[in-house]
Amino acid sequence: MAIIDRGEPGGARGQPPEERPRPDLRALARHPRARLWAIRTAVALVVGVLFAIVFDPRVGLTLAVVVMIADTVRTARAGGGDRGYPVSSAERRTERQLRALAKDGWRVLHARAVPRDGEGVSDGKIDHLVIGPTGVYAIDSESWDKRLPVRSLSHTRLFHGPFEMKDRLDEARWEANQASRLLSKAMATDIPVQPSVAIYGPSVPWRVMSVRNVDVYAGNQARKYLRKRPKVLTPEDVTRIGEAAERVFPSKYE
């Protein structure tokens, strides 16, 4: 179905998407880069203290610094590191799946920053922004502990073992809302963007489930999930939206 230009940004949606909640210390602690540095620092401290006790404090301090540098170099060579955001194994796996879609005329963007209303970009990152015949999607790739089960309660709550994953759903929904708002503004028509979470690691006991309006599914089903939905965009629509997305959302790694 071709996009109809209504002449007003946001189209018939009427209400702007919810704003992202202000980050707090817990949100910062969950940031992948914060976790990376926490682990790196802890390992360096353990090595430094052990060698300071056995040999000399100066030796311990030197080895702690060496461990920090060595791990930073190792992580960067592995494809993550400090390029602004690490590239997780889950993101790489989804990216490999989506390559086949690009060959069929889909537009696929990876690791895209979310611009602020003013200057600069927010801390948010859209792992994968996908535009194709079945619509526009913001996909969040997640790697979870496979030992803990995934379950849902009444399509409103998502659990990984004993942990409720509300923050992950809120983040995915915020990213999609921002993508929809900014694309709608750029194209002067309503561009809905569907949030989704692709989970790697534990078994997901359903094909696709909507939890708080976020589609949740096993990561290896990402390509099938995108292709199986009804077609709503023409090839011309896909091209136009894809070009707008390239302009609106800068790469996190540039």
Side-chain angles (χ1 to χ4, degrees):
M1 179 177 68
I3 297 175
I4 300 175
D5 189 344
R6 300 186 182 94
E8 292 293 335
R13 303 183 74 180
Q15 298 294 329
E18 61 185 281
E19 292 298 325
R20 191 182 195 184
R22 294 180 180 179
D24 55 21
L25 292 178
R26 289 177 299 175
L28 291 175
R30 289 190 298 269
H31 193 291
R33 190 174 182 183
R35 292 196 296 269
L36 175 68
W37 277 101
I39 295 171
R40 183 178 293 159
T41 302
V43 172
L45 284 174
V46 170
V47 172
V49 169
L50 287 176
F51 276 84
I53 293 173
V54 175
F55 296 101
D56 181 87
R58 289 175 295 182
V59 175
L61 177 61
T62 300
L63 284 176
V65 173
V66 169
V67 169
M68 293 278 285
I69 294 173
D71 189 65
T72 300
V73 172
R74 178 194 63 79
T75 308
R77 289 178 175 176
D82 303 315
R83 297 182 295 170
Y85 271 84
V87 178
S88 69
S89 60
E91 290 175 60
R92 289 193 291 269
R93 292 173 69 177
T94 301
E95 184 174 346
R96 286 194 292 269
Q97 285 194 67
L98 300 181
R99 287 173 187 164
L101 296 179
K103 297 177 182 178
D104 295 334
W106 293 60
R107 302 293 289 267
V108 182
L109 289 69
H110 303 288
R112 293 291 163 151
V114 180
R116 296 185 186 276
D117 289 330
E119 296 182 356
V121 297
S122 71
D123 292 333
K125 182 192 69 163
I126 301 175
D127 290 350
H128 318 277
L129 185 60
V130 184
I131 304 103
T134 63
V136 184
Y137 305 86
I139 302 176
D140 187 5
S141 293
E142 292 283 326
S143 181
W144 294 355
D145 190 335
K146 65 180 180 181
R147 295 170 296 181
L148 300 179
V150 175
R151 59 191 176 89
S152 173
L153 180 61
S154 302
H155 295 268
T156 59
R157 303 175 71 183
L158 179 67
F159 291 88
H160 178 218
F163 306 105
E164 184 170 2
M165 309 306 288
K166 180 178 181 298
D167 289 343
R168 302 261 57 82
L169 297 176
D170 289 346
E171 182 176 356
R173 191 167 54 250
W174 179 85
E175 291 166 357
N177 283 344
Q178 295 304 302
S180 176
R181 180 178 65 84
L182 292 167
L183 284 174
S184 297
K185 181 179 179 181
M187 301 190 66
T189 190
D190 185 28
I191 308 293
V193 178
Q194 175 62 43
S196 74
V197 175
I199 300 173
Y200 295 91
S203 175
V204 178
W206 55 75
R207 291 186 178 180
V208 179
M209 180 177 290
S210 178
V211 185
R212 295 174 60 87
N213 299 319
V214 178
D215 289 340
V216 180
Y217 48 88
N220 60 8
Q221 297 295 310
R223 187 169 60 216
K224 182 180 294 186
Y225 157 75
L226 295 167
R227 281 179 164 165
K228 289 293 185 180
R229 296 168 70 92
K231 293 183 177 181
V232 294
L233 298 178
T234 68
E236 293 76 18
D237 294 334
V238 172
T239 299
R240 290 171 53 209
I241 299 173
E243 291 174 350
E246 288 279 2
R247 296 192 303 268
V248 171
F249 302 101
S251 171
K252 267 288 187 180
Y253 302 137
E254 290 181 351

